[in-house]
Amino acid sequence: MIAAPTADALRRAADLIRGGDVVAFPTETVYGLGADATNATAAARIFEIKARPSFDPLIVHAGGLDMALRVVRSLPAPARRLAARFWPGPLTLVLPKSDIVPDIVTAGLPSVAIRVPDHPVALELIERAGTPIAAPSANPFGYVSPTTAAHVAEQLGERIPLILDGGPCRVGVESTILSLLGEPAQLLRPGGVPLEELRALIGEVKLAGPGDQPLAPGQLPRHYAPRRRLTLVDAAAAVPARERAAAALLLASPDPRALGFGRVEVLSARGDLREAAAALFAALRRLDGGPFERIYAVPAEEAGLGRAINDRLRRAARGSEGPAE
Ligand code: TXA
Ligand code: MG
């Protein structure tokens, strides 16, 4: 059931969390499916509802620095600087976990992924529940993440007692995940905080190389995938004219040569990468539900939020074509 975030609904939501149940709630990035991060049975419900492989660790959401400090063993100097600059906000830090976090939340890892979400409804829920909330994106495993309450309801509505509606998500792609377990810090997933801003603050940040083990399922080659076949092309002009009528085209910014397609979705008419990121998942869902044989997508500029957009598009393309590697 979808509910506006009234005081009454927030009270019910907090009661559900405290009682070991799940609640879907808005964050600035995407909607999360939350449970008490200190309650192993409650966290198990998340895996059950998402049909998520249990080796996949969850992000823990704290209401502020004090609560975050209960979840990690310590907050080293770079983590403090990052937290001071980007929390609340779309940056998740991976750090050694404290004992209050059960193994199921971290999939047995000695580390925990933690962030403070920048959304009044999420913060109010955490505050009222009085506990950190573990939450993955509120979508079936592997599918496009939800950026509205309706997206959550379409796919998981019957299995979730309450969906708090906070409107469309402002950022629209998931948080940036940064591991601070080693030196230098390592980017595990590009997201709402651009890599350039991290480097400006803490200096060197290592990228996950192609040979690296997938540490995060967001890093699995197939993820964020629509059901329809999605193919990346350098430009609209690369799609043969005879295929266009039966195809949809997804563009980060307008292209005057995008002619003859069944539909063209432009993520930002003024070519703004933030606006494009915010529109990405809803557009993928619309095209996935449309009368097209396939979807073509032109990647954004590989900078700023463009990295997160392109990362999701690449994984969506791999996920929609043939068997997993
Ligand atoms: O923006 C977001 O981060 C959203 C909202 C709801 O906060 N959440 C989200 O969660 O995207 P999820 O579960 O879809 O992605 C979490 C990612 C996973 O790929 C997971 O493997 C990784 O975080 N992760 C969690 N704990 C980790 C750890 N200890 N080490 C490495 N990666 C970790
Ligand atoms: Mg996800």
Side-chain angles (χ1 to χ4, degrees):
M1 177 203 149
I2 297 184
T6 58
D8 184 52
L10 280 158
R11 202 172 307 122
R12 270 171 39 227
D15 285 346
L16 284 165
I17 296 285
R18 274 199 305 268
D21 213 326
V22 298
V23 171
F25 64 99
T27 79
E28 80 282 29
T29 59
V30 300
Y31 275 71
L33 179 61
D36 182 349
T38 65
N39 176 337
T41 318
R45 288 277 298 139
I46 295 176
F47 293 103
E48 203 183 345
I49 291 171
K50 277 196 62 137
R52 179 175 184 139
S54 50
F55 54 74
D56 182 1
L58 306 172
I59 291 179
V60 175
H61 298 70
L65 198 60
D66 287 349
M67 192 182 273
L69 282 167
R70 284 163 42 201
V71 172
V72 299
R73 218 162 54 215
S74 68
L75 210 57
R80 276 181 200 273
R81 279 171 40 221
L82 288 160
R85 167 81 176 78
F86 295 110
W87 284 355
L91 177 65
T92 295
L93 300 177
V94 175
L95 288 161
K97 79 174 191 76
S98 76
D99 293 338
I100 70 164
V101 185
D103 278 343
I104 186 169
V105 168
T106 65
L109 293 172
S111 60
V112 64
I114 176 139
R115 78 183 194 98
V116 177
D118 187 14
H119 195 292
V121 175
L123 292 173
E124 178 83 25
L125 175 63
I126 297 166
E127 159 92 33
R128 282 176 185 256
T131 181
I133 294 182
S137 50
N139 52 281
F141 184 71
Y143 192 66
V144 181
S145 301
T147 54
T148 66
H151 291 164
V152 181
E154 275 159 29
Q155 289 185 304
L156 298 177
E158 262 136 53
R159 322 183 68 178
I160 306 178
L162 184 61
I163 302 168
L164 290 171
D165 188 353
C169 300
R170 175 172 59 77
V171 175
V173 288
E174 295 85 348
S175 59
T176 299
I177 304 180
L178 188 70
S179 169
L180 296 175
L181 297 176
E183 282 271 1
Q186 186 178 16
L187 184 75
L188 298 184
R189 176 176 76 183
V193 171
L195 177 63
E196 294 86 340
E197 291 187 26
L198 298 178
R199 287 186 167 149
L201 188 73
I202 59 164
E204 195 185 348
V205 173
K206 194 168 84 171
L207 302 182
D212 285 350
Q213 283 281 97
L215 296 171
Q219 289 179 267
L220 290 176
R222 304 174 50 170
H223 212 70
Y224 310 106
R227 291 187 194 84
R228 271 206 224 302
R229 182 158 179 206
L230 186 141
T231 309
L232 297 189
V233 288
D234 290 338
V239 180
R242 65 175 185 283
E243 284 185 22
R244 295 187 183 185
L249 179 70
L250 184 67
L251 294 167
S253 56
D255 177 349
R257 293 192 298 169
L259 301 171
F261 288 90
R263 192 187 302 167
V264 177
E265 286 262 2
V266 180
L267 296 177
S268 169
R270 54 197 174 98
D272 177 73
L273 290 172
R274 285 183 187 273
E275 192 172 80
L280 175 67
F281 288 141
L284 276 175
R285 279 171 188 265
R286 269 195 304 278
L287 296 182
D288 208 19
F292 313 108
E293 276 171 22
R294 58 193 296 183
I295 305 168
Y296 287 98
V298 180
E301 178 197 347
E302 186 73 18
L305 268 281
R307 287 178 204 274
I309 295 173
N310 295 344
D311 171 77
R312 306 308 186 265
L313 285 177
R314 279 193 293 268
R315 292 178 208 280
R318 273 189 232 140
S320 70
E321 285 170 25
E325 287 111 294

